[in-house]
Amino acid sequence: MKKILITGGAGFIGSAFVRQTLRKHPDYQVINLDALTYAGNLETLADVEKNPNYRFIKGDIGAKDLVEQLFAEGLDYVVNFAAESHVDRSIAGPEIFARTNILGTQNLLEAARRYWPVREPHRPADGAESPAPRYLQVSTDEVYGTLGQTGYFTEETPLQPNSPYSASKAGADLLVRAYFQTFGLPLLTTRCSNNYGPYQFPEKLIPLMISNALADRPLPVYGDGQNVRDWLHVSDHCEAIDIVLHQGVPGEVYNIGGHNEKENIYIVKLILSELKKPEALIKYVKDRPGHDRRYAIDAGKMAKCFGWRPRYTFEQGIKETLQWYLENQEWVNSVKSGDYQKYYEKQYAGR
Ligand code: NAD
Ligand code: TYD
């Protein structure tokens, strides 16, 4: 049996990846290491809790002894989702972003250096699959900074992060690069555009707007609402990560995106119209400082190397997502009331 460590597996994307891995690789043992910050929610994984191939460990990726213990068990794969992930929180308090996203990543890399066979820096031929162990750093297109009206982020675009969040993710990416170049570790990086789908914490644009619209509360649109994000369904992101983890070339970066560039205001109006709520609920508010104007990913390398393409169109994905939020208002209410934070105690106390 192969062993895979998924960090941040109680979050939005990590939990989808945990579920996908258990389904797609029934011969893998999945270890989910998550600190259960405000963004970690084990209720999201209630359906896999009893799967004998699944194990949850509450802990910090920055904890040296714990991470070393896990590597000492013999890990074939590590996928690092664990992070502080919300730009607005990084503006309010950058420190935890540097600690978790940069130092936490470095702690994982250091354990890999200690426990995984270190080779001379090498680059296998294109397309040649390297055997395990392998580590994948889940990064973001936000490390590239902002685009003007035209153009796309490619893997060669210089890193020019503008928020403490994206700067901390860029810092982690650079450490991954350095640990590959210097120590020859089998490390891969993916940089994805904005995700949407079920179980996203209602502080991010789409779930926040859905939740406010359902409650007839104002929908706060930053600035002029014309900032552009490139949206990808979370399951398409998870598919792409699985492919890169198994087939990517160590040392390489892979951009993941769906060519679904939409202005924020378009999305907000679409949500209101689908939920049959009035546009009068829209409230333009003061802009986010350092607000990136436009993100758009060139995912040509993913298509060329692996034939990967998103399965979801935005229209289909957003309809399904709206439906999911309508049918799962209890999940949203539990998050908003903070009740989800009691789940771990209830479920794991005394285990
Ligand atoms: P999220 O905030 O929903 O989840 C983050 C998870 O990490 C939570 O479960 C949290 O408890 C856990 N965590 C935080 N600090 C930790 C620590 N020190 N040790 C262990 N666990 C810790 O985030 P998400 O939206 O699922 O994003 C996951 C990853 O994907 C992040 O690295 C993010 O930068 C990246 N990413 C996100 C998007 C997006 O649109 N959401 C797009 C591209 C890349
Ligand atoms: P967000 O979901 O925070 O993702 P990111 O900033 O990482 O791209 O925001 C997506 C876009 O929506 C971004 O341009 C900021 C904007 N936004 C609002 O206009 N109002 C809001 O309340 C939020 C949370 C975001």
Side-chain angles (χ1 to χ4, degrees):
M1 266 200 137
K2 291 249 161 66
K3 215 176 250 188
I4 179 168
L5 174 68
I6 300 174
T7 71
F12 163 49
I13 309 173
S15 62
F17 190 75
V18 165
R19 258 184 261 107
Q20 176 189 278
T21 303
L22 289 166
R23 200 175 54 239
K24 224 179 170 130
H25 303 288
D27 55 333
Y28 284 17
Q29 279 178 25
V30 173
I31 305 170
N32 174 7
L33 171 66
D34 195 296
L36 297 185
T37 67
Y38 80 94
N41 184 350
L42 282 183
E43 279 181 355
T44 304
L45 286 168
D47 55 331
V48 303
E49 218 158 58
K50 296 207 165 69
N51 186 320
N53 290 347
Y54 171 74
R55 178 153 55 113
F56 175 73
I57 296 171
K58 183 173 188 239
D60 187 334
I61 54 166
K64 240 189 168 112
D65 293 352
L66 172 62
V67 165
E68 290 218 351
Q69 253 174 45
L70 290 170
F71 272 82
E73 280 189 25
L75 298 174
D76 297 287
Y77 300 108
V78 175
V79 183
N80 182 26
F81 290 94
E84 289 294 332
S85 70
H86 190 42
V87 174
D88 293 324
R89 285 182 191 255
S90 82
I91 296 167
E95 190 185 341
I96 184 71
F97 283 74
R99 198 162 350 116
T100 295
N101 300 359
I102 302 177
L103 294 179
T105 298
Q106 200 247 346
N107 191 43
L108 293 170
L109 295 173
E110 206 42 43
R113 184 154 89 93
R114 194 172 288 219
Y115 284 89
W116 285 356
V118 171
R119 296 181 290 257
E120 284 302 300
H122 75 296
R123 294 176 74 82
D126 266 1
E129 184 167 343
S130 297
R134 290 155 80 83
Y135 171 106
L136 189 148
Q137 176 71 10
V138 180
S139 188
T140 165
D141 60 355
E142 301 193 26
V143 297
Y144 296 122
T146 190
L147 290 166
Q149 300 257 317
T150 56
Y152 295 93
F153 295 134
T154 72
E155 290 80 0
E156 276 71 49
T157 303
L159 304 191
Q160 292 185 317
N162 292 318
S163 72
Y165 162 66
S166 52
S168 67
K169 293 295 289 184
D173 286 15
L174 293 178
L175 281 170
V176 170
R177 178 191 154 83
Y179 271 67
F180 170 77
Q181 295 289 349
T182 307
F183 304 119
L185 285 167
L187 312 174
L188 302 138
T189 303
T190 54
R191 295 188 182 133
C192 189
S193 58
N194 285 60
N195 283 212
Y196 69 97
Y199 299 112
Q200 188 167 26
F201 198 87
E203 65 183 353
K204 304 275 167 72
L205 180 76
I206 291 180
L208 178 84
M209 297 299 165
I210 296 174
S211 147
N212 282 16
L214 287 173
D216 295 310
R217 292 223 313 269
L219 276 56
V221 172
Y222 298 164
D224 62 7
Q226 286 168 26
N227 298 65
V228 171
R229 296 293 181 264
D230 177 359
W231 295 93
L232 187 73
H233 193 276
V234 61
S235 64
D236 281 323
H237 185 190
C238 289
E239 283 268 317
I241 289 174
D242 187 70
I243 292 171
V244 174
L245 180 64
H246 293 94
Q247 297 172 42
V249 177
E252 291 287 313
V253 172
Y254 297 90
N255 279 358
I256 303 170
H259 279 303
N260 284 309
E261 298 155 49
K262 310 282 180 209
E263 287 188 352
N264 295 335
I265 193 64
Y266 166 84
I267 293 188
V268 169
K269 287 184 177 171
L270 181 70
I271 289 170
L272 287 170
S273 130
E274 290 287 329
L275 296 176
K276 305 202 174 9
K277 298 285 182 176
E279 288 191 4
L281 284 175
I282 295 173
K283 185 174 179 214
Y284 288 93
V285 299
K286 193 164 172 271
D287 208 355
R288 171 190 277 173
H291 196 177
D292 287 333
R293 191 63 176 170
R294 175 171 167 263
Y295 300 148
I297 278 270
D298 175 347
K301 185 171 173 182
M302 284 297 295
K304 184 165 158 270
C305 295
F306 313 118
W308 175 87
R309 266 172 200 84
R311 289 172 199 264
Y312 272 96
T313 60
F314 183 72
E315 289 64 32
Q316 180 200 353
I318 194 77
K319 277 211 164 94
E320 273 187 36
T321 301
L322 274 161
Q323 193 56 33
W324 187 90
Y325 279 95
L326 280 171
E327 287 167 8
N328 290 274
Q329 291 186 50
E330 243 174 67
W331 182 88
V332 177
N333 292 338
S334 165
V335 169
K336 285 180 21 187
S337 70
D339 277 354
Y340 70 106
Q341 287 175 320
K342 298 179 194 140
Y343 185 84
Y344 175 78
E345 282 306 316
K346 212 168 67 201
Q347 213 50 26
Y348 288 85
R351 278 197 183 176

